[in-house]
Amino acid sequence: MTTTDLPDTVDPAPGPALIRTLGGESYTSPAIFEAEQEHVFEAMWFCAVRAGDLAHPGAFRKIQVGRESVLVVRGRDHELRAFLNVCRHRGAMLCTEDEGQVRRNLRCPYHAWTYGLDGKLVAAPNMASLKDASGRDIDRVEFGLVPVALREWLGYAWVCLADDPPSFEAEVMGAITERLGDPTAIDNYRIDQLEVGRRVVYDVAANWKLIVENFMECYHCATIHPELTEVLPEFKDGLAAQYFVGHGAEFGSDVSGFTIDGSAGFETLPGVAPEQDRKYYAITVRPTVFVNLVPDHIIFHRMYPMAHDRTIVECDWLYTEDVIAEGRDVSRSVELFHRVNEQDFDACERTQPAMSSRAYRHGGVLVPAEHHIAEFHNWIVGKLGNSGNEGGE
């Protein structure tokens, strides 16, 4: 398929018509996934790790961003930094463990080139005799680890591999403002001050876009989410909260909290405004983050697309420091969205094999309640441009 075969953009405005989706190849082609790695994951801000997970100097975590392995490291000055996980000598992977703790330095196990937590080269065998191409002593910064742009927000470290990163304020903060309709609304939840009460990692045998599309719509909610629709009865009508700017889905009149049985949860987060109480807000931050706001805790999803048909999803349930310190039981609130996750990911895994069917060669359709997904499809086609083969006909 050539670029001339890409679909024209479609009008995502609500209406009675069925709208064509992306074609099945968009979810099954390794070539398209490689283009997404380059033009989406490696070009945009990517949520990497909860900053609190790297609490002490020398703590590190290895993550996959597109085609690159990235290290996020807590420095001796307590600042977070990110580097490509590649030794500058002969290209060995510096750290193979997913996470860990070092005392002072990062040492390549191949030839023992050693780097400080700030990325500078600090030691190498026979280093005193090593010269650069001009015969000078090697520059410890020039031959240090390759840095990656990093920003901290909402208690997470976000990284960007682009040489000239896009505006964090526009692309990340702006996405949340666009959804909530107020740039200060997210601040009320004080997410950076919360702590992880539970983390579940899901290995989903599905393309990352199927997971995004599923999260964006609620046409399926009445079918596969009985527990969620009991707590949020308006979801039975099939319109997702994300369909409307600033809209939060209200708890049912007999529901006390965002829990598996609708029983009371914890005290409302200190900054939550009265108009945000007893409401659920879902936010998509492209390309790989979902933020779920409820009055007493936050559910924060990060996706790590690993292949065209495999996505790791890491989900954090965040609570106030008091809830965690007192060892209070979070299981009822965790169980509600854990069950939602399992139901959603099962649906995505059911869908993935059919993407290669001739029945889906030209895609499926979006009903009116899903029309906002068309904008996501237009966005991904625009991101790939001449480099991708996204599309239906």
Side-chain angles (χ1 to χ4, degrees), residues 194-200 202 257-267 269 294 296-299 315-339:
L194 303 181
E195 297 189 2
V196 178
R198 186 72 58 84
R199 174 173 293 158
V200 180
Y202 306 86
F258 198 74
T259 59
I260 187 64
D261 56 3
S263 60
F266 304 110
E267 296 80 7
L269 297 172
V294 294
D296 66 333
H297 67 282
I298 306 300
I299 306 141
C315 185
D316 291 342
W317 282 260
L318 306 173
Y319 302 87
T320 63
E321 181 181 3
D322 289 347
V323 168
I324 305 304
E326 295 168 7
R328 299 172 70 179
D329 183 11
V330 301
S331 61
R332 286 180 296 110
S333 55
V334 169
E335 180 59 25
L336 175 57
F337 225 88
H338 173 58
R339 201 168 295 187

Side-chain angles (χ1 to χ4, degrees), residues 183-260:
T184 66
I186 192 71
D187 299 334
N188 295 344
Y189 294 87
R190 303 176 187 175
I191 298 175
D192 60 331
Q193 299 177 26
L194 303 181
E195 297 189 2
V196 178
R198 186 72 58 84
R199 174 173 293 158
V200 180
V201 179
Y202 306 86
D203 195 334
V204 187
N207 185 274
W208 70 280
K209 295 189 297 297
L210 291 177
I211 299 173
V212 173
E213 293 163 15
N214 173 277
F215 182 74
M216 290 180 67
E217 55 92 359
C218 207
Y219 189 50
H220 67 279
C221 287
T223 306
I224 71 172
H225 294 321
E227 300 86 1
L228 183 64
T229 54
E230 283 298 312
V231 174
L232 304 173
E234 70 179 68
F235 277 10
K236 295 177 182 178
D237 297 331
L239 286 179
Q242 294 186 79
Y243 201 101
F244 308 103
V245 174
H247 176 71
E250 293 194 26
F251 293 2
S253 58
D254 58 345
V255 170
S256 298
F258 198 74
T259 59
I260 187 64

Side-chain angles (χ1 to χ4, degrees), residues 6 20 79 127 139 185 209 211 238 286 298 318 322:
L6 292 173
R20 180 69 70 184
E79 293 295 318
M127 187 169 177
D139 186 313
K209 295 189 297 297
I211 299 173
R286 297 171 186 167
I298 306 300
L318 306 173
D322 289 347

Side-chain angles (χ1 to χ4, degrees), residues 145-194:
L145 299 178
V146 176
V148 172
L150 183 147
R151 290 283 301 268
E152 289 188 59
W153 193 51
L154 303 181
Y156 288 85
W158 307 66
V159 299
C160 184
L161 297 178
D163 293 333
D164 184 16
S167 167
F168 187 86
E169 289 74 15
E171 288 211 346
V172 179
M173 296 178 175
I176 290 182
T177 297
E178 182 180 357
R179 166 67 183 92
L180 296 179
D182 177 355
T184 66
I186 192 71
D187 299 334
N188 295 344
Y189 294 87
R190 303 176 187 175
I191 298 175
D192 60 331
Q193 299 177 26
L194 303 181

Side-chain angles (χ1 to χ4, degrees), residues 54-113:
L54 306 178
H56 305 292
F60 70 87
R61 180 160 176 190
K62 175 174 69 74
I63 61 166
Q64 191 70 25
V65 182
R67 298 162 297 179
E68 293 282 4
S69 177
V70 175
L71 287 179
V72 180
V73 183
R74 179 73 69 181
R76 298 189 64 79
D77 57 0
H78 296 277
E79 293 295 318
L80 282 179
R81 295 179 178 84
F83 308 98
L84 297 184
N85 185 24
V86 177
C87 179
R88 298 298 305 282
H89 171 222
R90 294 269 299 282
M93 182 176 286
L94 198 61
C95 296
T96 56
E97 307 93 337
D98 288 338
E99 56 190 336
Q101 178 80 40
V102 297
R103 292 187 62 184
R104 299 185 64 88
N105 301 307
L106 298 163
R107 183 176 183 271
C108 178
Y110 191 7
H111 294 97
W113 278 41

Side-chain angles (χ1 to χ4, degrees), residues 5-80:
D5 296 318
L6 292 173
D8 294 331
T9 57
V10 295
D11 181 5
L18 299 177
I19 295 176
R20 180 69 70 184
T21 70
L22 297 173
E25 185 184 21
S26 298
Y27 307 90
T28 62
S29 166
I32 289 177
F33 181 71
E34 184 174 358
E36 291 170 344
Q37 288 178 304
E38 178 180 359
H39 297 284
V40 178
F41 312 131
E42 296 172 18
M44 299 183 66
W45 288 99
F46 191 98
C47 192
V49 61
R50 183 75 181 170
D53 291 348
L54 306 178
H56 305 292
F60 70 87
R61 180 160 176 190
K62 175 174 69 74
I63 61 166
Q64 191 70 25
V65 182
R67 298 162 297 179
E68 293 282 4
S69 177
V70 175
L71 287 179
V72 180
V73 183
R74 179 73 69 181
R76 298 189 64 79
D77 57 0
H78 296 277
E79 293 295 318
L80 282 179

